[in-house]
Amino acid sequence: RWARNWDGQWRLVLFDVPTGQNAQRERLRRYLRDQGFGYLQNSVWISPDPLLHERDILSGGSINVESLLLLEARPCAGESDAEIVAGAWDFEQINRRYARHLKLLEQRPGGPLTSDSASKTLLRWAAAEREAWLDAVTSDPLLPGRLLPSDYLGQRAWRRRVEVLREAGRQLHTFRRS
């Protein structure tokens, strides 16, 4: 996802769902968050990617532009893409999750798996590593590389994860049942 091209267009979802329809509003916010959209305000969400899926979902029904509007836009008052990214996504939190994952990667138990205890220790580590990775990556919008903050840890965590899991794979070849 990081290597994909970006055309410089921001896609915005703007909505004003009446207060009597709180469940629909929350369902829409949850959908947008789950799809990796960032939010500039509770009813203004943004993505660098085309809204093809969202257009498909909405096609066939009538859309009330006073309640929901999809736009493609570029900033026009001097806002930088970096400022937009910083305003729409919490990369401090995302980086904290990747930092936690990186720390866990360095705690992989080493040595041959010649006892049940050693095997179980590696298995527990693997479960914790997977949980930490999923926690980090599911909170990450996986933006195109040119939009990522300079201190972003996601790509570093991915590369280190590949190395450590490769080492763990070699370690599995030492398994001996006791």
Side-chain angles (χ1 to χ4, degrees):
R1 301 277 304 151
W2 297 308
R4 71 189 184 282
N5 290 326
W6 181 52
D7 62 5
Q9 291 268 41
W10 287 103
R11 281 59 178 202
L12 289 89
V13 176
L14 300 102
F15 60 91
D16 185 16
V17 178
T19 56
Q21 298 175 346
N22 284 340
Q24 284 182 321
R25 183 180 329 131
E26 284 309 309
R27 191 168 45 246
L28 178 56
R29 285 183 184 147
R30 190 173 31 255
Y31 169 83
L32 294 169
R33 187 175 28 257
D34 290 348
Q35 297 302 309
F37 283 75
Y39 67 95
L40 296 171
Q41 299 173 10
N42 279 334
S43 59
V44 179
W45 293 68
I46 192 165
S47 172
D49 298 313
L51 303 178
L52 303 175
H53 184 66
E54 290 70 24
R55 277 188 260 175
D56 288 345
I57 291 171
L58 296 170
S59 68
S62 65
I63 299 170
N64 179 351
V65 297
E66 293 176 9
S67 295
L68 178 66
L69 190 59
L70 307 181
L71 296 173
E72 292 183 343
R74 288 197 166 118
C76 62
E79 306 90 343
S80 71
D81 294 325
E83 290 170 323
I84 292 170
V85 167
W89 291 277
D90 186 352
F91 273 93
E92 284 183 22
Q93 179 194 60
I94 292 166
N95 273 344
R96 279 193 301 274
R97 291 176 179 191
Y98 279 122
R100 179 177 158 257
H101 178 258
L102 282 162
K103 183 178 178 182
L104 193 60
L105 286 174
E106 300 314 314
Q107 296 171 354
R108 179 181 64 83
L113 302 178
T114 55
S115 70
D116 285 346
S117 173
S119 299
K120 287 177 183 175
T121 300
L122 182 63
L123 188 60
R124 280 191 300 275
W125 171 86
E129 183 280 330
R130 182 177 187 276
E131 182 179 329
W133 174 254
L134 290 175
D135 182 53
V137 78
T138 56
S139 72
D140 187 344
L142 303 172
L143 297 175
R146 73 182 243 199
L147 293 174
L148 294 172
S150 59
D151 63 345
Y152 173 67
L153 294 177
Q155 292 171 314
R156 183 173 138 211
W158 171 251
R159 286 188 300 271
R160 185 65 184 134
R161 182 175 198 244
V162 169
E163 291 170 10
V164 170
L165 293 181
R166 190 173 291 134
E167 292 166 6
R170 286 191 290 269
Q171 187 179 13
L172 288 175
H173 290 292
T174 68
F175 177 74
R176 302 280 184 269
R177 287 198 74 92
S178 57

